[in-house]
Amino acid sequence: MDATAGTSSSRSCARSYARSKLLERSVRLEPDHQWPFGGDLSVARTLRIGTHEIGDSSPCYVIAEIGHNHQGSLEKARELFREAKLAGAHAVKLQKRDNRGLYTRAAYEKPYDNENSFGPTYGEHREFLEFGRKEYEALQAYARELGVDFFATAFDLASADFLVDFDMPAFKIASGDLKSTPLLKHVASFGKPMIVSTGGAMLEDVHRAYDAIMPINPQLAILQCTAGYPAAFDELDLRVISTYREKFPDAVIGFSSHDNGISMPVAAYMLGARIVEKHFTLNRAMKGTDHAFSLEPVGLRKMVRDLERTFKAMGNGAKKIYESERAPIVKMGKSLVVARNLPTGHVLGPQDVVMKSPGGGIPPYELDKVIGRTTLKALHQDDFLSFEVLSKPDPEFARS
């Protein structure tokens, strides 16, 4: 069999696998949880990356987007991997480009002389930052040692083919390639989960990408993104997350957070985003265009902490009483007590009963069941009333 036939056969197998997964997803149901902001949980909106099952009932899957913040240094990349794992990230991500094939000659040779440049031309700048097979092998081994998922964004067909050799658990597609349907279909044919950002696009562009990917590979996550660097808060459009949940019920929805800060991912999670991608650096003052709006280790740790707390705080929609509430509610609550000294045989009237703290006695909502009963013993002011010291209700009084 020639190489072309072999490739065609493998892609055919991948498409068959993808169709089987689509059928499987169409019949799988989420657990019996009610989604608090609407949406149909009978749809199997789940995605598995590595050992992580991502869906409506799961914690947020956090991707530390390292990109080229390693500055071309393998040791810095290793440090970034380590710090991201310590901060609680589930995945670390790089970017892969075949620079000679990706850019036109004019773009590659364009002078690039600024404070963030690592080379005199844009092409040389990019090549300085690019990792090859040796670095990827070392970093993949280190990620496995750390226990963190490792994958990358494929910016072109050659880079996708480079990455597939590493059997990565997922592939990322950048916002700039949402319209690159040949790349989308090529990566989809690998049969691995795809995470697609949607910055700088209209809904019709997202639909086009969705329609290109899903018949081949239904393992798809769509991230709301505003492709500003950084993105202004009034341009984040977090409600698009809800729109995506409605329009793309088979896809996991997420948020690629280009803003400065850590609070927007929590808001995105509450709206239904189950993947959050955040740019990550060791120091925001480092040389490079992405460092200034990236999170440092302390920031990433706090963001992960807040997302974990949010997941725990959401509950399952059922109102319940916790043991931790019982003592405070007794202290703050009220009981029905005697308003004044009362003799045995006294028929209680409204003037004989008041509400006072603490709780634990007859609750105030039982007041109508107390009025009209007769005391079976002498009672003193501020005594707690109980049904044991009162007669049975008088039927005539109850009917009056």
Side-chain angles (χ1 to χ4, degrees):
M1 180 183 294
D2 63 29
T4 302
T7 301
S8 175
S9 174
S10 65
R11 289 183 185 170
S12 176
C13 290
R15 290 188 176 94
S16 296
Y17 169 79
R19 282 193 293 271
S20 71
K21 292 297 286 183
L22 179 59
L23 178 61
E24 178 186 336
R25 283 165 65 96
S26 70
V27 298
R28 289 171 59 197
L29 300 180
E30 286 276 7
D32 292 330
H33 292 289
Q34 293 295 316
W35 177 241
F37 299 99
D40 185 2
L41 279 190
S42 66
V43 175
R45 195 193 297 271
T46 60
L47 190 69
R48 177 174 286 276
I49 299 178
T51 61
H52 300 94
E53 188 82 10
I54 306 165
D56 281 338
S57 300
S58 75
C60 190
Y61 184 80
V62 176
I63 303 169
E65 160 64 315
I66 292 168
H68 285 110
N69 281 352
H70 51 68
Q71 298 180 319
S73 164
L74 179 60
E75 285 310 307
K76 277 197 180 77
R78 287 169 62 90
E79 187 177 358
L80 283 158
F81 278 32
R82 182 171 61 254
E83 290 294 335
K85 172 64 178 178
L86 289 173
H90 303 95
V92 289
K93 191 180 75 64
L94 300 181
Q95 299 175 3
K96 183 58 184 168
R97 295 171 175 86
D98 175 37
N99 293 300
R100 284 286 185 183
L102 177 60
Y103 299 107
T104 65
R105 178 178 296 178
Y108 190 93
E109 296 177 353
K110 183 179 179 180
Y112 195 67
D113 184 17
N114 60 64
E115 61 183 4
N116 291 313
S117 174
F118 288 92
T121 67
Y122 189 66
E124 291 174 279
H125 162 77
R126 294 242 62 100
E127 298 288 10
F128 181 90
L129 297 171
E130 202 65 47
F131 282 161
R133 186 168 299 277
K134 179 180 177 181
E135 290 83 4
Y136 269 81
E137 287 174 349
L139 290 171
Q140 185 176 58
Y142 189 54
R144 287 172 178 161
E145 179 184 329
L146 292 172
V148 65
D149 293 338
F150 167 45
F151 51 92
T153 301
F155 278 81
D156 49 78
L157 296 170
S159 295
D161 290 340
F162 171 90
L163 294 171
V164 77
D165 288 345
F166 291 89
D167 192 29
M168 291 188 165
F171 283 81
K172 176 72 195 304
I173 300 294
S175 294
D177 281 312
L178 188 67
K179 301 175 185 178
S180 302
T181 50
L183 177 61
L184 299 178
K185 292 178 179 179
H186 184 67
V187 173
S189 72
F190 299 155
K192 292 295 185 76
M194 294 178 64
I195 303 170
V196 179
S197 281
T198 60
M202 298 295 289
L203 188 59
E204 65 189 67
D205 299 313
V206 185
H207 271 292
R208 185 190 307 110
Y210 178 88
D211 292 341
I213 294 168
M214 288 299 281
I216 305 170
N217 181 0
Q219 302 174 86
L220 177 62
I222 301 173
L223 308 190
Q224 163 58 2
C225 177
T226 302
Y229 297 88
F233 288 106
D234 60 355
E235 295 180 352
L236 294 180
D237 289 335
L238 293 183
R239 286 183 177 176
V240 171
I241 293 166
S242 301
T243 301
Y244 284 174
R245 288 178 56 84
E246 176 186 349
K247 300 294 185 183
F248 308 109
D250 290 322
V252 168
I253 306 305
F255 176 50
S256 182
S257 180
H258 286 198
D259 56 287
N260 280 315
I262 64 172
S263 59
M264 293 303 101
V266 171
Y269 183 83
M270 289 302 298
L271 288 167
R274 287 298 175 266
I275 295 175
V276 163
E277 177 187 53
K278 194 73 175 178
H279 285 255
F280 182 58
T281 183
L282 298 173
N283 188 328
R284 295 178 67 179
M286 290 173 69
K287 179 179 177 179
T289 55
D290 289 355
H291 294 281
F293 68 95
S294 299
L295 291 183
E296 295 175 343
V298 171
L300 183 62
R301 189 175 301 115
K302 289 180 177 179
M303 187 191 81
V304 172
R305 175 203 65 191
D306 290 350
L307 286 166
E308 290 175 348
R309 288 176 176 175
T310 302
F311 168 70
K312 293 176 181 177
M314 284 179 66
N316 63 4
K319 181 62 178 168
K320 58 185 75 70
I321 298 173
Y322 290 98
E323 193 61 35
S324 62
E325 298 179 285
R326 296 187 187 279
I329 286 298
V330 169
K331 180 180 179 180
M332 296 183 294
K334 293 181 176 64
S335 301
L336 297 181
V337 302
V338 178
R340 56 198 175 94
N341 293 339
L342 299 174
T344 303
H346 181 82
V347 177
L348 291 179
Q351 72 279 8
D352 299 319
V353 182
V354 293
M355 297 183 300
K356 289 188 178 183
S357 292
I362 298 178
Y365 65 76
E366 299 277 27
L367 178 62
D368 289 344
K369 294 182 180 179
V370 169
I371 301 301
R373 296 199 188 200
T374 302
T375 59
L376 300 179
K377 57 180 281 190
L379 299 173
H380 299 89
Q381 183 178 1
D382 281 349
D383 280 353
F384 281 77
L385 284 171
S386 68
F387 289 113
E388 286 72 20
V389 300
L390 301 175
S391 67
K392 301 291 186 186
D394 185 337
E396 292 298 323
F397 189 90
R399 284 196 294 269
S400 63

